[in-house]
Amino acid sequence: ETAARRKGKARRGRGKARNEGLLSKQKRSRRMKANDRERNRMHHLNSALDALRSVLPTFPDDAKLTKIETLRFAHNYIWALTE
């Protein structure tokens, strides 16, 4: 124990200054903001992949390449163009 506690003086600090309800609201707000950022990130990523798909030559025009297939095909296509 510290000398201040032994003399009966309470230490000042953050402690439980905020009530549980406020903390819960803040956590929920942070989570909603993080979810919104992630949703926007994925939206932009998917838009970029769609734009990449539109410039890649594909044999069956109706078949949509997956994300990894799009990246691998783009890599191989760029490599083939440089050879």
Side-chain angles (χ1 to χ4, degrees):
E1 286 186 277
T2 64
R5 284 184 186 247
R6 276 185 261 138
K7 292 181 182 179
K9 294 182 182 178
R11 288 177 47 190
R12 291 188 180 189
R14 288 183 70 163
K16 289 191 176 186
R18 297 182 182 180
N19 63 24
E20 302 265 337
L22 181 59
L23 287 174
S24 177
K25 267 187 175 179
Q26 287 177 336
K27 285 181 182 179
R28 199 171 327 126
S29 175
R30 283 190 208 126
R31 177 53 24 213
M32 288 175 64
K33 288 177 183 178
N35 288 348
D36 192 42
R37 285 191 304 270
E38 178 64 10
R39 196 175 307 110
N40 286 330
R41 186 187 73 83
M42 288 305 299
H43 175 72
H44 288 108
L45 177 63
N46 289 332
S47 296
L49 285 167
D50 286 339
L52 181 57
R53 282 185 196 103
S54 71
V55 297
L56 292 175
T58 56
F59 296 107
D61 291 329
D62 57 345
K64 181 179 175 184
L65 298 172
T66 65
K67 292 174 185 178
I68 190 68
E69 289 171 342
T70 301
L71 292 174
R72 286 180 177 148
F73 187 45
H75 174 269
N76 291 335
Y77 184 56
I78 292 168
W79 176 83
L81 290 173
T82 58
E83 288 299 308

